[in-house]
Amino acid sequence: MSNEMSAMVDEVTGNRRLRRNRRFDWTRRLVQESRLTVDDLILPIFIIEGENSEEAIKAMPGVSRYTLDKALDVAKRAAVLGIPAIAPFPNVPLDKRNVSGSEIANPDNLICTFTRMVKETVPQIGVITDAALDPFTDHGHDGILRNGIIVNDESVEMIVQGALRQAESGADIIAPSDMMDGRIGAIRQALDQAGFNDVGILSYTAKYASAFYGPYREAIGTDGLLQGDKKTYYIDPANTEDAMREAELDIQEGADMLMVKPALPYLDIVWRMKDTFGMPVFAYQVSGEYSMIESAAAQGYIDGEKVMMESLLAFKRAGADGILTYFALRVAEMLNKH
Ligand code: PBG
């Protein structure tokens, strides 16, 4: 057929047939734009004191808190599966929590001890530690609470102490999730002064004041403690520009990577950050996102595995480089099978 002829035919039948590329599994695979791989995953692990035990978290079916020996086994499993990094979150005994969260500065606290264990035994897996104070305060806030106010600069000083202890324990990346002003610059300066020039900072830049964190608070035991809410320091879910300004500052202050949290309800933020700054951007699929999928799947309302894969792929499509997800082990197992 001549070009003129085919143009005519196309005019009659319509030449815009997008379904051709969707016809077979193999064409779909050839034209697939976004892909989820094991390299995209970061596994959060909940840790507790004690030995050889594991506690189920009611609001997060399938997720447990582990004593450090058991958590180390989980880290080993993650490494074998090829998961690049883990993020430990501690459930600290109540008698170690106080108004200022000073336990974060104890070099033998749960996070630091676990970090040393992982770095000794499974050095190939990255350890990303959080320097927010909430697991360590008796009021559940990420900073120091005085007269009803989360005091910024004093909190930053404590957060910096925590970050230093974590770096000394071998943490590869410090990921402060507290949203105090100026903490990225302060952590960077302190790390550099202490010779930890190579320790990175993943800033929880766009951390929203979200109700999706509910199950996490049971996991680390802040649910019964939290006084009020976190609206005076986390970002209002209505706002985008605030997140963009936060990102600008964090980058100026020395952040190596940015985080958006929660993930699925904030895909527009993931996209815009990636598009604007071109920095590594991570999405945190938070506890509430996880539990919604798991509970609906348990009821038989959705196919949990498919919804899990689809939501993770959505983060990649939006431009996320990596994903913190409680599904990480399960997903890695699935991806490794193919
Ligand atoms: C606080 C912190 C939160 C999460 C991790 N660190 C939020 C909060 O408790 O307010 C949430 C993680 C999740 O929901 O999975 N620094």
Side-chain angles (χ1 to χ4, degrees):
M1 227 184 333
S2 71
N3 280 348
E4 288 90 335
M5 273 283 283
S6 69
M8 268 172 59
V9 171
D10 279 346
E11 226 169 312
V12 177
T13 59
N15 60 357
R16 294 180 184 84
R17 290 191 178 258
L18 299 183
R19 286 183 53 188
R20 284 185 204 115
N21 293 343
R22 302 176 196 146
R23 217 170 143 206
F24 305 110
D25 178 63
W26 65 264
T27 51
R28 291 193 293 272
R29 280 189 281 132
L30 276 175
V31 303
Q32 185 177 335
E33 297 169 39
S34 305
R35 239 171 260 274
L36 177 71
T37 73
V38 176
D39 295 331
D40 297 314
L41 304 171
I42 298 168
L43 171 70
I45 303 179
F46 294 112
I47 51 178
I48 47 174
E49 288 190 356
E51 253 173 69
N52 194 30
S53 65
E54 166 180 352
E55 295 171 0
I57 300 159
K58 214 171 116 238
M60 299 181 75
V63 178
S64 295
R65 307 177 192 98
Y66 298 95
T67 53
L68 300 189
D69 49 344
K70 288 215 157 196
L72 189 61
D73 291 339
V74 177
K76 284 181 196 161
R77 217 172 114 217
V80 168
L81 286 165
I83 293 173
I86 56 168
F89 293 101
N91 184 318
V92 176
L94 283 182
D95 61 0
K96 293 186 178 163
R97 303 188 196 206
N98 60 24
V99 70
S100 64
S102 58
E103 170 69 6
I104 198 173
N106 172 4
D108 296 320
N109 69 21
L110 276 169
I111 297 183
C112 294
T113 308
F114 184 58
T115 300
R116 283 193 296 270
M117 286 166 67
V118 174
K119 285 287 120 182
E120 272 166 31
T121 327
V122 221
Q124 70 273 29
I125 201 160
V127 177
I128 301 176
T129 55
D130 190 350
L133 302 183
D134 57 303
F136 307 100
T137 56
D138 56 13
H139 44 71
H141 281 288
D142 297 22
I144 299 170
L145 178 66
R146 283 211 201 295
N147 304 322
I149 290 171
I150 308 302
V151 290
N152 193 87
D153 298 7
E154 219 181 304
S155 298
V156 170
E157 279 174 35
M158 187 63 83
I159 286 161
V160 165
Q161 288 310 308
L164 283 171
R165 298 296 89 76
Q166 292 168 6
E168 288 159 6
S169 309
D172 301 290
I173 294 178
I174 309 296
S177 75
D178 51 274
M179 296 301 283
M180 295 301 120
D181 284 325
R183 91 268 202 223
I184 299 300
I187 293 172
R188 184 70 271 160
Q189 199 183 355
L191 287 175
D192 289 349
Q193 273 170 7
F196 294 112
N197 306 273
D198 291 334
V199 172
I201 301 178
L202 163 57
S203 175
Y204 283 76
T205 285
K207 183 158 190 192
Y208 281 90
S210 171
F212 285 91
Y213 306 143
Y216 173 89
R217 296 189 182 156
E218 182 205 328
I220 67 155
T222 52
D223 50 342
L225 299 178
L226 187 64
Q227 294 174 19
D229 57 47
K230 300 190 178 183
K231 288 181 185 167
T232 67
Y233 47 107
Y234 288 1
I235 299 175
D236 185 331
N239 294 346
T240 299
E241 300 306 334
D242 197 11
M244 297 305 283
R245 292 179 66 202
E246 189 78 51
E248 240 167 70
L249 284 177
D250 284 357
I251 295 166
Q252 275 173 23
E253 290 176 32
D256 302 289
M257 304 161 158
L258 307 176
M259 177 96 81
V260 176
K261 180 181 180 181
L264 204 58
Y266 296 87
L267 283 187
D268 54 324
I269 310 297
V270 173
W271 166 259
R272 193 158 162 208
M273 271 197 188
K274 187 67 194 178
D275 199 44
T276 307
F277 301 111
M279 297 266 296
V281 172
F282 291 81
Y284 195 143
Q285 182 181 49
V286 300
S287 56
E289 297 179 70
Y290 170 88
S291 298
M292 284 198 307
I293 295 174
E294 281 303 282
S295 53
Q299 297 287 321
Y301 298 156
I302 57 170
D303 181 324
E305 224 161 64
K306 290 201 172 111
V307 171
M308 164 183 88
M309 292 309 264
E310 186 177 330
S311 46
L312 296 171
L313 187 62
F315 306 145
K316 293 300 293 179
R317 193 191 61 242
D321 294 278
I323 304 156
L324 271 93
T325 174
Y326 302 99
F327 289 121
L329 289 170
R330 219 182 304 170
V331 176
E333 269 159 18
M334 280 178 65
L335 291 172
N336 285 338
K337 261 189 227 142
H338 294 132

